[in-house]
Amino acid sequence: MSQDPAIRIRDLTKTFGGERRLFGRRSHAVEALRAVSLDLRRGETLAVVGESGSGKSTLARILVGLETPGGGAVEIAGEDAARLRRKGPRAFGKTVQYVFQDPVASLNPRKTIGEILSAPLRLLCGYDRARRETRLRELMQAVDMPEATLSRYPHELSGGQAQRMAIARALAAEADILVLDEPVSALDVSVQAQVLLLLQRLKRELNLSYLFISHDLAVVEAIADRVAVMHFGEVVELEETRTLFATPVHPYTEGLLASAPRLKRA
Amino acid sequence: MSEIASSSSAAGGGARPPRRLSAFALLMNSRLAAAGLILLVLLCLLMLAAPILPLPDPDATAPADRLLRPLSEGHLLGTDQLGRDLLSRLVWGARVSVAVGLAATLVAAVIGSAIGLVSGYAGGRADNLMMRGIDMLMAFPYILLALAIVAALGPGLMNALYAIAIVNIPFFARNVRGVTLALAHREFVDAARLSGKGHVSILLSEVLPNVAPVIVITMSTTAGWMILETAGLSFLGLGAQPPQADLGSMLGEGRAQLFTAPHVAIVPGVMIFVIVISLNLLGDGLRDALDPRLRSGALSRPGPVTAIARQGPVPENSQPEAALSVERLETGFSAGAGRYQPAVRGVSLHLHAGECLGLIGESGSGKSVTALSVMGLVASPPGLIRGGAIYLGRREVLSMPQTQLIACRGARVAYIFQDPLTTLHPTYTIGRQVMEAVAAHQPLGRQELKARAIALLRQVKIPDAERRAEHYPHQLSGGQRQRVGIAMALANDPDIMIADEPTTALDVTVQAEILNLLRQLQKERQMALLFITHDFGVVADICDRVAVMKDGEIVETGRTRELLARPRHPYTRRLIACVPEIGEGENFLPRVARLMAREAREISA
């Protein structure tokens, strides 16, 4: 079990559209993923970078069970994802969790933070009331937020605070694999730095594995162990972070690195 | 600091209740809605008290006293053709009508909302099937459908209730489905699914609370209508059966005496009017109170120019040679009842021809409001310019007559916004939109306009401009759309261009291209460019000088290179320190951690 990678993806494909319509014509098909193969090792941060339309969000949604794969094989924590899906959303949620890009949109505006965080504790972990209260307090401590936040509504929080809550919800399920979809791109730089620090500390303390999706190369270089570059639904390069940034091989990776804005021009 | 400070203030904020206006207070703010509510409460009290009021039996006939005028002795509102007391019949009849109308509303709301929720959430085939059924219901004229239902079930109040409820189901189903459809694909619904919730639980605990205001609004706006329909069916003799009183049947009976004793028909008619108008007033007020978009005043039409109420003298232009001078600008938002929320506090900026000035700050720092104030584009209400001056060369913008200020927009000062998909009109071709931008200031013929538009599209390097001009915004990529936005800004050779986060929504490779284009156009035309952004990397790339904004004030201004290398203000220093740089790699987080730890020590010290 411990030798199994956290996530193993082999030849994953996904096509949107292309169904036959009522009067025979096929609708326009978009290949979001074409034969993607990746391994997320235990305890590592694997970054997936790419521009809009490269298929990185589709990949993330398949990994957490929000989309079904078109073809290929996905194993999560050594178990076949199709079998996990048949076991129902609860089995999936216990193994892998997702942090959304827009923290405010991912929190129900009409529920308090406490109610939102209780759902995974009750449904996925099956904790009773007393145990839930303890866990809620622990979670607030883990993401550096005061307990009073539990009684607040999402719109009363700043972007950074809301993202901490979204991370707390992912932690609540006690899954040790997290798929983070652009978790800091909606945040101001100083808040972004704090959330990155938080993510790094949580990973160390709780022994998590991260699949970190981002378009910001500087952020990726700061936090990732390895980087996969996606382009039009394919992984064009997969390398240790240091190697990839020092000697990019694929021309697309080179282009990305060249066009990233920098503070100090050489 | 901001995050730590705000989270600690959140901790202390438990004592300070967040200022939220309750829906009831909002409702009472509207005089008409309050009047409707009071009227309705009085009517309801009257109807509920019917059994204990000293009223004669509404069904007791007295042929001797038939058709007495109002204010006769013992009969305040007179009697009908059978000598029954009209006041008593009115109170008892209104009771029946309102009860049936409200019950029908409730039934229609429950069934219609359930259909709408399931249909919107399930989508696909189930949605299609249910909505086509609803369409069929809607295809019949409602009164015909109600008549058919009553004809099939037989006349009577209960059957009238069913008929009215069924006829009104589509209103609820369609409204609720629309809202549910939008909610079903929201991230928090996905998040709930990942938290282990099943479909029923998601529908009831995630979607329904967000749909509830729509259901309440639909109920409050249709209840009056349903009471009217109840009266209509009774008027036709299909609802309440004699001798039972009900507003519609009273009206029907009064019709025969309309010329000899008009009060028999007028009394229930006025009652129906009063009930329906009070319900509708209340319904409108309720809708305004419950809809957060209406609450913030989004639907009140903004004026063409930001409201200006300068207090104190107009500041002098301290750099008359600058293309654009902003002097001690104070812009904010009026929050009702004389309250004022400042967004820009005493900002001064000077922008010279051929120069690019960056305005950088975090969200909420007031950089966009500053930019929009220049041409009076902050929406009013609630926007308000309270002080300062804006000079275009020698002319002061805020003292100009409105028509002149509007004439300056686009001609002297042009804007480029963040998301061209929202600023371009979706149903016009881009060529036509560029043509309109030109035509706004230059009286040219159609052929000339077209040639000019295509030339502009070429200047912003849109390949195959002639063919592209025929395309619609959605057919273009984000980068191409932003090029169209730039072409429209260039249309009238402005002296000053204000770009508000023009590359934030774009991919890095596209961003680099757009920045190149802007830099090149600016140098060619010696334009002054005010570039608003939150990204220091972009500032370093394009700006000659940069101003850093925080909480509505400029904390530091300087040449870009010097400011980035040696920031003087602690806030700037901190912002720059938090930006990860390519090449820094794993050293970034330990460095930031040290910085944060040092700040935490300073705060506690």
Side-chain angles (χ1 to χ4, degrees), chain B residues 40-55 90-96 98-99 102 271:
Chain B
L40 201 66
V41 167
L42 289 177
L43 284 172
C44 284
L45 284 178
L46 184 70
M47 289 176 227
L48 286 176
I52 53 169
L53 289 177
L55 291 170
L90 186 73
V91 173
W92 284 99
R95 221 167 117 100
V96 172
V98 170
L102 293 187
M271 187 66 166

Side-chain angles (χ1 to χ4, degrees), chain B residues 281-294:
Chain B
L281 287 178
L282 179 66
D284 279 358
L286 216 56
R287 188 193 59 209
D288 294 355
L290 287 178
D291 192 332
R293 277 183 320 129
L294 293 168

Side-chain angles (χ1 to χ4, degrees), chain B residues 502-534:
Chain B
T503 59
T504 306
L506 305 176
D507 286 324
V508 276
T509 46
V510 184
Q511 164 169 296
E513 289 165 18
I514 295 284
L515 289 179
N516 269 335
L517 174 69
L518 277 175
R519 191 184 306 115
Q520 186 198 338
L521 289 170
Q522 186 223 348
K523 292 284 173 269
E524 274 172 13
R525 298 169 172 241
Q526 279 298 298
M527 261 187 323
L529 179 59
L530 181 61
F531 197 100
I532 291 149
T533 181
H534 67 280

Side-chain angles (χ1 to χ4, degrees), chain A residues 50-52 61 64-66 89-90 93 96-98 100-111 116 119-124 144-146 148-149 152-153 155-156 158 160-161 164 169 173 187-197 200 215-219 221-223 242 245 252 255-257 259-265, chain B residues 1-4 6-11 13-14 16 18 20 186-198 201 205-207 209-211 213 290 292 361-364 505-512 515 534-538 540-541 561 564 574-576 578-590 592-593 596 599:
Chain A
E51 306 203 302
S52 46
R61 290 175 64 85
V64 297
L66 288 174
R90 294 189 186 176
V96 55
Q97 273 293 334
Y98 189 45
F100 291 83
Q101 173 170 6
D102 183 349
V104 180
S106 72
L107 302 171
N108 188 340
R110 296 194 172 260
K111 296 193 149 196
I116 292 171
L121 292 177
R122 187 164 44 93
L123 297 169
L124 294 178
D144 290 331
M145 288 289 283
T149 318
R152 302 199 146 229
Y153 285 93
H155 70 266
E156 294 170 341
S158 69
Q161 292 171 332
R164 281 165 196 264
R169 172 175 52 199
L187 307 176
D188 280 327
V189 276
S190 55
V191 182
Q192 166 178 309
Q194 286 165 341
V195 171
L196 286 175
L197 275 176
Q200 202 195 31
H215 69 277
D216 188 332
L217 291 169
V219 165
E221 196 194 7
I223 197 162
R242 202 170 301 176
F245 276 78
Y252 178 70
L256 268 186
L257 276 169
S259 45
R262 291 154 204 255
L263 285 189
K264 301 163 192 89
R265 292 263 136 195
Chain B
M1 181 190 76
S2 63
E3 179 78 357
I4 293 168
S6 54
S7 52
S8 62
S9 77
R16 181 206 63 195
R20 269 181 264 173
R186 288 278 294 276
E187 293 189 344
F188 69 81
V189 172
D190 281 342
R193 205 164 293 154
L194 296 177
S195 297
K197 289 194 170 184
S201 162
S205 71
E206 304 284 331
V207 178
N210 285 292
V211 176
L290 287 178
E362 298 198 293
S363 46
L506 305 176
D507 286 324
V508 276
T509 46
V510 184
Q511 164 169 296
L515 289 179
H534 67 280
D535 188 335
F536 272 107
V538 171
D541 202 19
R561 198 178 292 246
L564 289 178
R574 180 171 192 281
L575 268 189
I576 294 177
C578 285
V579 181
E581 263 281 76
I582 288 184
E584 199 180 4
E586 55 198 290
N587 300 326
F588 170 69
L589 285 177
V592 173
M596 304 269 166
E599 277 173 4

Side-chain angles (χ1 to χ4, degrees), chain B residues 63-342:
Chain B
D65 289 340
R66 55 196 290 270
L67 294 179
L68 287 180
R69 300 277 146 177
L71 303 177
S72 331
E73 207 188 326
H75 302 287
L76 194 59
L77 292 178
T79 55
D80 67 2
Q81 71 284 3
L82 296 176
R84 296 175 291 197
D85 181 56
L86 264 184
L87 178 65
S88 171
R89 278 184 77 74
L90 186 73
V91 173
W92 284 99
R95 221 167 117 100
V96 172
S97 291
V98 170
V100 172
L102 293 187
T105 311
L106 211 62
V107 172
V110 170
I111 299 177
S113 305
I115 293 176
L117 273 172
V118 172
S119 164
Y121 183 76
R125 199 160 289 172
D127 179 34
N128 219 334
L129 211 68
M130 281 171 149
M131 280 303 120
R132 296 302 80 78
I134 293 293
D135 285 348
M136 274 157 63
L137 261 185
M138 286 190 99
F140 290 102
Y142 85 93
I143 196 80
L144 220 62
L145 187 59
L147 282 174
I149 293 169
V150 172
L153 298 175
L157 259 183
M158 271 326 266
N159 293 344
L161 191 159
Y162 297 144
I164 292 161
I166 291 171
V167 165
N168 282 289
I169 282 174
F171 291 107
F172 287 91
R174 295 204 138 240
N175 271 341
V176 170
R177 173 187 173 265
V179 184
T180 309
L181 203 59
L183 284 169
H185 298 286
R186 288 278 294 276
E187 293 189 344
F188 69 81
V189 172
D190 281 342
R193 205 164 293 154
L194 296 177
S195 297
K197 289 194 170 184
H199 292 307
V200 177
S201 162
I202 287 178
L203 257 184
L204 292 182
S205 71
E206 304 284 331
V207 178
L208 184 60
N210 285 292
V211 176
V214 176
I215 300 177
V216 172
I217 290 162
T218 316
M219 276 174 80
S220 66
T221 45
T222 49
W225 182 240
M226 295 213 209
I227 291 175
L228 218 53
E229 284 173 15
T230 319
L233 284 183
S234 291
F235 178 81
L236 295 174
L238 299 169
Q241 298 303 308
Q244 189 180 29
D246 142 277
L247 294 177
S249 60
M250 286 171 72
L251 204 59
E253 288 159 7
R255 191 181 47 160
Q257 281 79 35
L258 202 56
F259 296 106
T260 51
H263 70 275
V264 182
I266 288 173
V267 164
V270 169
M271 187 66 166
I272 292 176
F273 171 75
V274 170
I275 291 176
V276 172
I277 195 91
S278 65
L279 260 170
N280 285 351
L281 287 178
L282 179 66
D284 279 358
L286 216 56
R287 188 193 59 209
D288 294 355
L290 287 178
D291 192 332
R293 277 183 320 129
L294 293 168
R295 208 181 295 190
S296 61
L299 284 192
S300 55
R301 205 156 57 106
V305 172
T306 310
I308 301 167
R310 277 190 285 200
Q311 298 162 344
V314 175
E316 288 291 310
N317 189 353
S318 60
Q319 292 188 20
E321 75 285 1
L324 171 73
S325 298
V326 176
E327 298 285 351
R328 299 208 293 281
L329 178 72
E330 302 267 351
T331 307
F333 299 98
S334 52
R339 273 181 295 141
Y340 170 81
Q341 181 81 43

